[in-house]
């Protein structure tokens, strides 16, 4: 008998010896996540724009996912580490800051559009973000529901193209530091992802898909009131 067969039979015999006659082998113990206890103090935290990313993607021509980003956005987090369900977040996005890194010659292919670039077209065309009529995209959370040791569902109102509809984001706690190296105050990091349909906000759907996926990753720094002037 080969050595491998002998080893396999020995392992089966050992498992059988650990169970009573007629009993099936014991199932492995279920692994549970270790609860995360935030050390960051309760209070208001503002987004660090130099360490934050907000991008969106949608299906293009049914064969690939087209991805772009916003370069200018603000967010404020009201954190309650003892009861995360009481935490809230608001965000304000500048639609004119959309950036797609379009590599082709826009003027050559879209000479009659009236726009100077593909970013300009997406930002200001009534077919897309229509920023002149609607200069801000906003999100205001209405509920936070813990779903795991480091995760939660954040539901809120998304206002886009003049319409407001609920959107749910899957948020993940990335970590925290007791003292930010420059601000010298606590900081926390979160990521979030969610989806919504453009048609729900009145946008026409053509060769570009209806469902938009949004992804966020960023650091929030505790907002500290300025010190009172010395007498």
């Amino acid at each position: 008998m080969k050595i491998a067969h002998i080893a396999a039979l020995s392992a089966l015999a050992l498992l059988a010896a650990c169970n009573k006659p007629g009993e099936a082998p014991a199932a492995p113990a279920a692994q549970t996540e270790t609860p995360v206890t935030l050390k960051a103090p309760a209070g208001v935290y503002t987004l660090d724009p130099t360490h934050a990313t907000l991008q969106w993607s949608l299906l293009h021509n049914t064969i690939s996912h087209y991805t772009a980003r916003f370069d200018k956005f603000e967010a404020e987090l009201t954190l309650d580490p003892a009861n995360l369900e009481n935490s809230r977040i608001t965000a304000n996005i500048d639609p004119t800051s959309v950036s797609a890194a379009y590599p082709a010659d826009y003027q050559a292919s879209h000479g009659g559009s009236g726009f100077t670039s593909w970013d300009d077209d997406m930002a200001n065309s009534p077919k897309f973000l229509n920023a002149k009529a609607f200069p801000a995209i906003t999100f205001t959370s209405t509920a936070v529901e813990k779903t795991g040791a480091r995760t939660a569902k954040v539901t809120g109102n998304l206002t886009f193209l003049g319409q407001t509809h609920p959107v749910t984001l899957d948020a993940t706690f990335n970590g925290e530091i007791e003292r930010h190296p420059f601000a010298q105050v606590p900081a926390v990091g979160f990521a979030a992802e969610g989806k919504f349909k453009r048609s729900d906000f009145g946008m026409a759907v053509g060769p570009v898909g209806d469902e938009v996926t949004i992804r966020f990753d960023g650091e929030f720094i505790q907002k500290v009131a300025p010190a009172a002037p010395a007498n």
Side-chain angles (χ1 to χ4, degrees):
M1 185 178 291
K2 294 183 179 180
I3 295 176
H5 290 170
I6 296 174
L9 290 173
S10 299
L12 289 173
L14 180 61
L15 286 173
C18 294
N19 291 275
K20 296 178 181 178
E23 283 187 342
Q31 294 184 350
T32 58
E33 292 183 286
T34 302
V36 175
T37 302
L38 272 70
K39 299 177 182 178
V44 177
Y45 291 70
T46 56
L47 182 68
D48 176 3
T50 62
H51 296 93
T53 302
L54 178 61
Q55 67 179 36
W56 52 266
S57 63
L58 38 72
L59 197 61
H60 182 260
N61 286 335
T62 72
I63 58 175
S64 68
H65 284 89
Y66 184 80
T67 301
R69 57 183 286 165
F70 290 107
D71 290 332
K72 295 180 181 178
F73 53 97
E74 301 172 337
E76 187 171 271
L77 169 68
T78 301
L79 180 65
D80 184 347
N83 298 284
L84 285 178
E85 293 82 357
N86 295 332
S87 300
R88 295 291 180 265
I89 187 168
T90 60
N92 190 303
I93 304 162
D94 180 358
T96 66
S97 72
V98 65
S99 175
Y102 187 70
D105 187 338
Y106 175 86
Q107 292 291 344
S109 57
H110 300 76
S113 71
F115 299 103
T116 60
S117 66
W118 180 230
D119 291 347
D120 181 25
D121 193 338
M122 284 197 301
N124 295 300
S125 171
K127 295 187 301 182
F128 300 120
L129 301 180
N130 203 4
K132 292 182 180 178
F134 306 104
I137 301 169
T138 63
F139 177 81
T140 302
S141 70
T142 55
V144 176
E145 177 189 357
K146 289 185 66 176
T147 56
R150 307 180 73 89
T151 60
K153 287 189 178 295
V154 180
T155 300
N157 291 323
L158 176 66
T159 299
F160 176 47
L161 296 177
Q163 297 191 34
T164 301
H165 297 287
V167 170
T168 297
L169 305 175
D170 292 313
T172 301
F173 171 63
N174 288 337
E176 61 184 333
I177 52 177
E178 183 178 355
R179 188 170 294 276
H180 188 277
F182 301 118
Q184 298 298 305
V185 294
V188 294
F190 290 91
E193 181 173 324
K195 298 181 178 181
F196 67 90
K197 290 185 176 181
R198 298 189 297 134
S199 59
D200 289 344
F201 294 84
M203 186 180 286
V205 178
V208 180
D210 190 11
E211 188 174 71
V212 180
T213 299
I214 50 178
R215 297 181 180 88
F216 164 82
D217 204 308
E219 301 176 12
F220 292 82
I221 302 173
Q222 186 183 32
K223 186 177 181 180
V224 179
N231 294 327

